[in-house]
Amino acid sequence: LGTLIGGLVTFAINRQQFKNQIKALHEEHKTEFMAETTARHFLSHKSYTDRSFDVLVKHLGGFEEDELRKILVRAGAVREYHSDGTEWWYLLSREDERIENFKNR
């Protein structure tokens, strides 16, 4: 009985420590998490499946261009270049919707 109670106490303590570690890591990297959330927000707009990199830079200021590209990839975005050489991004999860929109044009 003592071993069982000791095991449960140890489990509860370890679980709480794990939650605290996750919370601390989240706070430490809060800027990156929020940037990914914001990137997903702009790329999830119901009217626009694609966004130009220039628009994303404008709304997600404070990051160097390559760092912003890494954030976009972590958010699940894919880069594409249009025929005029401009850089555009879209969420991979919206690829079917994007293809459907191009067919309907």
Side-chain angles (χ1 to χ4, degrees):
L1 184 62
T3 304
L4 180 62
I5 291 173
L8 289 174
V9 168
T10 302
F11 174 76
I13 290 171
N14 286 337
R15 184 174 175 198
Q16 188 61 38
Q17 285 177 340
F18 181 67
K19 284 182 180 181
N20 289 340
Q21 288 174 347
I22 288 176
K23 186 176 179 180
L25 283 172
H26 192 273
E27 283 297 317
E28 184 179 330
H29 299 287
K30 190 173 187 174
T31 303
E32 288 84 7
F33 285 123
M34 290 308 298
E36 286 178 41
T37 301
T38 304
R40 271 190 228 98
H41 169 78
F42 280 104
L43 294 170
S44 296
H45 190 279
K46 64 180 179 178
S47 299
Y48 303 102
T49 56
D50 297 37
R51 293 285 184 156
S52 72
F53 188 68
D54 292 338
V55 167
L56 294 168
V57 167
K58 179 181 174 183
H59 291 288
L60 291 165
F63 296 98
E64 291 185 25
E65 288 187 357
D66 283 341
E67 184 61 28
L68 181 54
R69 287 181 179 99
K70 290 177 185 177
I71 289 167
L72 289 164
V73 170
R74 284 195 305 264
V78 178
R79 177 176 58 186
E80 177 180 87
Y81 288 99
H82 286 196
S83 59
D84 62 0
T86 57
E87 182 177 347
W88 290 74
W89 289 80
Y90 65 92
L91 288 176
L92 186 59
S93 62
R94 295 186 71 190
E95 190 166 29
D96 293 339
E97 177 185 351
R98 194 172 166 268
I99 292 169
E100 192 64 34
N101 287 344
F102 280 118
K103 285 181 184 178
N104 292 333
R105 288 183 183 178

